[in-house]
Amino acid sequence: NVNERQLAQIQRTAGPVEDLYPLSPMQEGMLFHSLYGSDSGIYTTQLICELNGPLNKDIFEKAWQAAADAHAVLRTGFEWEAVEEPVQVVRRLVKVRLDLQDWKSLDRREQEENLENYLRREREREFDLKQSPLMRLALVRRAEDESLFIWTSHHLLLDGWSLPIVLRDVLTAYNRLRRGEQASLKPERSYRDYITWIKKQDLRAAESSWRRLLKGFKSPTPLPNHQIPAPGDSQHAEQQI
């Protein structure tokens, strides 16, 4: 529960608020590690798409605005200092902005170097978790009819299953706007419903169920080619099996 004084303080930070509700257990862990963990950017996700053919950048930006209007999670930030327990704060409105980059004059090698540096900078750039939207959008022109779209977001908002749902709505809005129609995206069901469902679960029954399921396991299941990184090692690599 949030009292009037706490709500006023949240509104001073976030602006007009549409909804407030607790975090899921997974979000609580991510928030804790994001605030107190030593590995900056560990929960920053990036999606890079190659877009071929003519693209109207203004309509593309409006399509993302329509998606943010329809998906409350894209207008969600987090508050943990003004309250006893952390809450997610859904703002009534956020302004979506598209960072436009024009690399058409560069050759392919220079473009690849630029891309690698840009992606690294975006991963290292921390989000202010109190200020939504906790995502950054970029559109890079590589040729007249070829662009790269870069979507950097915080994992507190979205998992891998959610990304294509948002992209589907963005493309739907884009095609409608391009035809001169209204974007007309239906608002998605509130995440509050899931949080409410979680709060009603019997944790003792869940614990008993997991203990029965895992009975007999004595050691962790090993992962193929798994190597424990050295302290402070933040290198990434790809391994195909």
Side-chain angles (χ1 to χ4, degrees):
N1 294 329
V2 175
N3 59 39
E4 288 186 16
R5 179 186 56 81
Q6 292 169 327
L7 179 58
Q9 187 170 340
I10 290 171
Q11 289 178 322
R12 282 195 293 272
T13 302
V17 172
E18 178 180 294
D19 205 353
L20 292 170
Y21 39 82
L23 281 63
S24 71
M26 182 71 77
Q27 286 178 308
E28 287 177 352
M30 286 186 186
L31 178 63
F32 178 84
H33 285 136
S34 297
L35 294 174
Y36 303 109
S38 58
D39 192 355
S40 174
I42 191 171
Y43 290 120
T44 299
T45 63
Q46 283 182 319
L47 181 72
I48 302 100
C49 302
E50 186 174 303
L51 307 177
N52 294 308
L55 178 72
N56 186 313
K57 63 182 186 301
D58 295 326
I59 292 180
F60 191 63
E61 186 175 66
K62 289 177 181 176
W64 272 97
Q65 183 66 60
D69 294 341
H71 291 269
V73 71
L74 300 182
R75 291 179 275 114
T76 295
F78 298 84
E79 176 58 58
W80 58 92
E81 292 179 318
V83 289
E84 282 76 29
E85 296 290 336
V87 292
Q88 25 199 344
V89 182
V90 182
R91 292 170 63 189
R92 289 181 192 165
L93 178 69
V94 298
K95 179 66 176 174
V96 173
R97 289 185 173 85
L98 195 60
D99 179 25
L100 300 173
Q101 301 279 327
D102 189 344
W103 298 351
K104 294 196 300 290
S105 62
L106 306 177
D107 61 34
R108 283 292 167 171
R109 183 183 58 80
E110 292 173 316
Q111 288 185 1
E112 290 304 319
E113 289 178 358
N114 265 21
L115 178 61
E116 188 175 330
N117 292 332
Y118 188 90
L119 294 176
R120 188 186 68 254
R121 286 197 305 271
E122 283 295 284
R123 287 194 300 271
E124 293 173 351
R125 204 173 134 202
E126 293 187 7
F127 286 100
D128 179 352
L129 297 179
K130 294 187 179 185
Q131 294 292 338
S132 54
L134 298 181
M135 65 177 187
R136 294 187 289 268
L137 310 172
L139 191 65
V140 177
R141 290 282 193 186
R142 303 182 78 181
E144 200 56 47
D145 286 342
E146 181 187 335
S147 300
L148 284 178
F149 170 62
I150 303 168
W151 179 13
T152 305
S153 61
H154 200 285
H155 202 18
L156 270 165
L157 303 185
L158 300 158
D159 60 10
W161 294 96
S162 306
L163 300 180
I165 296 173
V166 176
L167 286 176
R168 176 203 64 197
D169 282 357
V170 170
L171 295 175
T172 298
Y174 179 83
N175 287 326
R176 287 175 180 169
L177 291 167
R178 194 177 56 175
R179 294 193 299 265
E181 304 170 5
Q182 295 292 320
S184 302
L185 291 177
K186 181 182 176 183
E188 290 293 330
R189 186 174 180 181
S190 174
Y191 195 60
R192 167 187 279 280
D193 294 344
Y194 174 61
I195 298 296
T196 302
W197 178 83
I198 285 180
K199 296 297 183 184
K200 291 179 179 178
Q201 302 311 300
D202 186 338
L203 296 183
R204 287 176 298 180
E207 181 182 352
S208 297
S209 176
W210 280 106
R211 287 189 181 280
R212 285 195 305 271
L213 184 68
L214 298 173
K215 188 176 181 180
F217 279 87
K218 300 298 182 184
S219 60
T221 301
L223 297 176
N225 295 303
H226 178 63
Q227 295 179 342
I228 298 175
D233 183 9
S234 62
Q235 297 296 315
H236 297 75
E238 291 186 9
Q239 177 70 46
Q240 292 189 8
I241 300 172

